[in-house]
Amino acid sequence: MTPPARRFLPSPWTFLAHAAARTKRIRLATAITFLPLENPVRLAEDVSVVDILSGGRVEIGVGSGGSEAEYAAFGRDITRKRELTTEGLRILRSALAHIAGDVHRAALRFGERGAFPANLDIGEALRRFHAFYGHPDEIVAGLRQERVLPVATDLITQFDPAAADSDAAIRALELIATEIAPALGRRPVPQPEPQGV
């Protein structure tokens, strides 16, 4: 009997973004991401987005893989797999450290100018910037603590389209419209019926 062919999830971080939205406590991870077959900067961006959406529940395992067919499909030289893995891991670590620190560094600069207290941690930095992340229930709880919310006539939400891939961005908008806004008492504005010609 011929053994079944190995099959892998082709887009695990898109799947994990979806899982992040439907769970509260489980850790989210890939067993092994074949680093030589990935763009390490793009991977760092995807991992960071899922980590933010999940409230810090992401773990990532990386390895070199071993299938000649997979390497050939991505135009990679399997004889260089150790070298490619080492270099990819160096870039991935650097990119993850850069992305995670951007908000924190901005908050520290505000602190130096006296706009924020000095030496904020990353959680307090996000709060000061009114940036909410995590499960929709956590975001709703955070927004309910905003003192201006009871008197606000409009709730405008946004995200940086350069910081998330299109699947994560669409899912974020869906969650805002279907779970977060209704939980805060927001209702869609009725749209006029289209007029026939």
Side-chain angles (χ1 to χ4, degrees):
M1 181 172 152
T2 305
R6 294 193 307 165
R7 287 181 170 80
F8 299 99
L9 184 64
S11 186
W13 294 101
T14 301
F15 171 79
L16 290 173
H18 179 73
R22 296 182 171 269
T23 60
K24 293 183 180 180
R25 293 182 299 276
I26 64 169
R27 305 294 295 174
L28 303 164
T30 58
I32 298 224
T33 296
F34 297 153
L35 203 46
L37 309 183
E38 299 280 347
N39 178 314
V41 174
R42 174 75 263 181
L43 178 60
E45 292 172 336
D46 289 346
V47 170
S48 295
V49 168
V50 177
D51 197 48
I52 289 169
L53 292 174
S54 70
R57 292 185 284 133
V58 159
E59 296 176 7
I60 179 170
V62 299
S64 60
S67 166
E68 290 186 10
E70 289 163 357
Y71 271 73
F74 284 89
R76 303 291 199 275
D77 181 357
I78 195 168
T79 65
R80 297 182 60 234
K81 70 178 183 178
R82 289 185 180 175
E83 176 188 347
L84 292 170
T85 302
T86 300
E87 178 63 9
L89 186 57
R90 182 191 66 77
I91 296 169
L92 177 66
R93 284 177 169 159
S94 175
L96 286 172
H98 172 76
I99 292 167
D102 280 347
V103 169
H104 197 196
R105 282 190 293 274
L108 293 176
R109 285 195 299 272
F110 273 65
E112 290 167 2
R113 296 198 298 263
F116 285 177
N119 301 318
L120 297 177
D121 63 24
I122 186 65
E124 180 63 12
L126 288 167
R127 192 189 71 77
R128 293 271 174 169
F129 281 120
H130 303 279
F132 299 91
Y133 66 94
H135 187 273
D137 292 346
E138 296 170 307
I139 294 173
V140 169
L143 284 168
R144 282 182 174 152
Q145 293 176 15
E146 292 287 308
R147 288 180 289 179
V148 300
L149 188 64
V151 295
T153 58
D154 294 278
L155 176 64
I156 301 172
T157 59
Q158 68 180 45
F159 64 93
D160 181 353
D165 63 35
S166 59
D167 289 329
I170 290 168
R171 183 60 185 151
L173 291 173
E174 286 176 346
L175 288 171
I176 291 167
T178 62
E179 297 191 33
I180 295 170
L184 295 170
R186 272 31 188 199
R187 299 289 178 261
V189 175
Q191 299 297 312
E193 291 292 329
Q195 300 297 315
V197 178

